[in-house]
Amino acid sequence: MTSLLVILPILLPVTAAALLLLVGQRRRLEAALAVTASAGLFGLAITLVLAADGAAFTAIYRLGDWPAPLAIVLVADRLSALMVLLASTLGLVNTVFALSRWSRLGPYYHVLSQLLLMGLNGAFLTGDLFNLFVFFEVLLAASYGLLLHGSGARRVISGLHYIVINLTASLLLLVGISVIFGVTGTLNMAVLADQIPGLPAPTRSLLHAGAAILGVAFLVKAAAWPLGFWLPRTYDAATPPSAAIFAIMTKVGVYAILRLGLLWFGAGAGLSAGFGWTWVFVAGLATVGVGLVGMLAARDLGRMAGYSLLVSAGTLLAAIVFRDEAVLAGALLYMLVSTLAAAAFYLLGGLIGADGDDEFEEPSLLEAYDPEGDGLFTEADERAVTIPVSVGLLSAGFLICTLLIAGIPPLPGFLAKVAMLAPLLQAPAGPLPWAAWVLAALIIAASLLSLVALARAGIQIWWAEPDRIPPAIRLGEAAPVAALLFGLLVLTFAIEGPLGFFERTAQQLLDPAQYIEAVVGPGGGQ
């Protein structure tokens, strides 16, 4: 794997964003450039995953070729390559889906989407804390624009809440970074991991304080309880393609906790080993509980999809604290499936007409099948009614999303939960004596309650409102959703290869010596 491959996922979208700005409002050229850039990034991400899985080392790119304590480094291992692939997949789906009508609700939609991808990929690939903060701000600035895209009072109100919450989290992140730099003199993640085991007690206490502040900021970005109240309403207010790509943004916080937690406070961290894991576990359990209650209480698909993201984020936070290879591999598979399923659910909500945009309000069945124009739906009219193809396609898509989100067999959502449950029931060492059994019970309960909530929503949409039909499906909207769901269905029959990759990723995460040596070198960074 060449070092150039590590920086290209950042260079490609920022270059595409600059070119899209130059193109302006020439729609066809803009669409061709946006799709080409997104497809190219997706292909590049696949190449990066294959290279990372086949390499015997972690690839790095040093800007300016400075040594590790001073360098701005980009690091590609299996986890970061996986996250880049997940972001690129959603970016491609978002771009194609938005071309039909959504990108025309306001200017610069594709520019903002490319900048969001740049920020996401940078956050996943960076090897130092300050640039993690920088890329967080890039992706958040782009997400502000995407959230407000299309205007409307509901988006403005939700956008203001979102901005305030994330600015507060960014301030905490900056404070935590400052504390850590003040006591260690470096922000390089690998150098810090190399130094932490040998820190004296006073310095270690200050480092823990800075890490705790960072943890709070990351939990806000992961929408963990009690800091995640903003997510369901905010994502529901966004346009469906924007909400779909937002599905990965909670995973940025989860990624940061996973990366830094295992790198800094893993088994080899000396007296710092295990710092903060109990709090992360409790926050994860609480987040799952709040998400499930929200799903049961929600009355529209957008809110329900948002609460399902809380359930998945909480499950991941609670699972990663066990630092068990099998549990972690199952959690990574679950992260992939739940993120893609939530994105597909948001897109389906837009097609069904449940996104709340009055501009795209669908006709009623009475309006569609009243040839006499007398305002009456007679028995003769009823005999003329046939189920539209769009209804069959959308209901099938809704069923698949329901099975994926709830984790019902035989789809990969179920396989991911089994991959977590099987090792959990063997009671691996956790932050608390009863932790494994509580999490296992909560995962099972989440499947049942999610199924109840989604089945009720399906009954309400397809059976309880017979006078309502969805709008006609545009090919440009249906194709990316169908491709996303088809890919997840294929994963059901080809799970062995991806699960093996996740197991190797878990092994690499639990043994960070390779990561540290690749960045710092055999001589250490002190």
Side-chain angles (χ1 to χ4, degrees):
M1 176 166 40
T2 64
S3 60
L4 184 61
L5 192 60
V6 182
I7 197 172
L8 282 178
I10 299 172
L11 291 180
L12 179 57
V14 72
T15 303
L19 293 175
L20 286 166
L21 279 173
L22 295 176
V23 167
Q25 300 301 308
R26 286 172 282 187
R27 296 290 184 183
R28 291 187 178 180
L29 185 56
E30 180 189 37
L33 182 56
V35 172
T36 301
S38 298
L41 183 60
F42 178 69
L44 181 63
I46 294 176
T47 304
L48 186 63
V49 168
L50 295 176
D53 193 34
F57 58 93
T58 301
I60 62 173
Y61 185 92
R62 292 185 175 89
L63 277 75
D65 204 24
W66 288 89
L70 302 175
I72 295 175
V73 294
L74 302 175
V75 187
D77 62 356
R78 290 185 178 92
L79 178 61
S80 56
L82 169 66
M83 299 306 294
V84 168
L85 177 59
L86 185 56
S88 302
T89 302
L90 293 181
L92 180 58
V93 169
N94 157 68
T95 298
V96 176
F97 188 93
L99 287 176
S100 293
R101 48 175 166 163
W102 305 98
S103 62
R104 297 194 295 271
L105 294 179
Y108 305 121
Y109 181 88
H110 296 297
V111 174
L112 293 169
S113 295
Q114 292 298 318
L115 290 176
L116 178 63
L117 288 172
M118 173 216 173
L120 288 168
N121 293 341
F124 297 140
L125 291 169
T126 187
D128 68 277
L129 290 177
F130 184 75
N131 284 286
L132 180 64
F133 168 77
V134 170
F135 284 120
F136 267 13
E137 294 311 296
V138 171
L139 71 90
L140 288 173
S143 70
Y144 300 153
L146 288 173
L147 176 59
L148 295 172
H149 186 78
S151 189
R154 192 163 69 105
R155 291 192 179 112
V156 172
I157 294 172
S158 298
L160 288 175
H161 292 167
Y162 176 72
I163 290 171
V164 170
I165 291 296
N166 280 282
L167 285 179
T168 303
S170 296
L171 177 61
L172 290 174
L173 183 59
L174 197 57
V175 170
I177 290 172
S178 301
V179 171
I180 291 174
F181 182 73
V183 299
T184 64
T186 183
L187 294 177
N188 188 289
M189 298 176 187
V191 173
L192 284 166
D194 193 50
Q195 291 182 0
I196 284 174
L199 289 177
T203 303
R204 181 182 297 108
S205 298
L206 288 172
L207 175 80
H208 287 179
I213 297 172
L214 285 183
V216 173
F218 293 144
L219 288 174
V220 172
K221 296 181 184 299
W225 183 88
L227 310 170
F229 59 89
W230 53 271
L231 186 146
R233 181 173 62 178
T234 300
Y235 286 13
D236 183 36
T239 59
S242 297
I245 198 170
F246 287 173
I248 195 176
M249 291 183 62
T250 57
K251 307 309 184 293
V252 179
V254 175
Y255 166 84
I257 292 173
L258 175 61
R259 168 70 72 193
L260 298 181
L262 293 179
L263 191 61
W264 293 352
F265 306 120
L271 295 176
S272 295
F275 172 75
W277 286 119
T278 301
W279 291 105
V280 173
F281 179 75
V282 173
L285 293 183
T287 304
V288 174
V290 171
L292 290 174
V293 172
M295 287 189 71
L296 291 171
R299 289 295 181 268
D300 61 83
L301 297 186
R303 294 284 180 95
M304 197 169 293
Y307 283 113
S308 76
L309 285 174
L310 295 187
V311 173
S312 67
T315 303
L316 290 169
L317 289 172
I320 62 179
V321 305
F322 288 92
R323 290 164 284 171
D324 177 83
E325 181 182 317
V327 175
L328 187 54
L332 293 173
L333 175 60
Y334 175 72
M335 177 181 65
L336 176 71
V337 174
S338 62
T339 303
L340 295 178
F345 199 65
Y346 274 119
L347 297 178
L348 278 172
L351 294 180
I352 292 170
D355 60 309
D357 280 353
D358 294 335
E359 182 178 349
F360 301 121
E361 185 176 357
E362 68 277 5
S364 68
L365 191 63
L366 179 59
E367 294 169 347
Y369 298 102
D370 183 20
E372 295 86 0
D374 56 6
L376 300 175
F377 190 58
T378 63
E379 184 177 349
D381 295 334
E382 185 176 0
R383 286 195 296 270
V385 173
T386 58
I387 297 177
V389 174
S390 61
V391 173
L393 294 176
L394 291 176
S395 58
F398 184 89
L399 175 61
I400 294 172
C401 282
T402 297
L403 298 179
L404 287 168
I405 293 173
I408 304 301
L411 299 188
F414 169 76
L415 300 177
K417 290 193 172 185
V418 169
M420 286 189 291
L421 282 172
L424 275 176
L425 294 178
Q426 298 175 9
L432 297 169
W434 39 264
W437 290 96
V438 170
L439 179 57
L442 198 58
I443 289 174
I444 296 171
S447 291
L448 176 62
L449 296 179
S450 298
L451 180 61
V452 170
L454 292 166
R456 184 191 61 194
I459 292 172
Q460 182 68 26
I461 292 170
W462 307 115
W463 294 348
E465 298 182 14
D467 63 333
R468 193 181 128 202
I469 62 171
I473 298 179
R474 294 172 170 85
L475 178 61
E477 292 173 326
V481 181
L484 200 56
L485 295 178
F486 179 75
L488 288 169
L489 289 176
V490 169
L491 187 60
T492 305
F493 304 98
I495 196 67
E496 185 176 357
L499 189 56
F501 174 82
F502 296 136
E503 289 171 351
R504 293 187 292 275
T505 304
Q507 291 172 0
Q508 194 174 48
L509 287 171
L510 293 171
D511 183 19
Q514 183 186 87
Y515 183 100
I516 296 171
E517 184 175 339
V519 177
V520 179
Q526 298 185 22

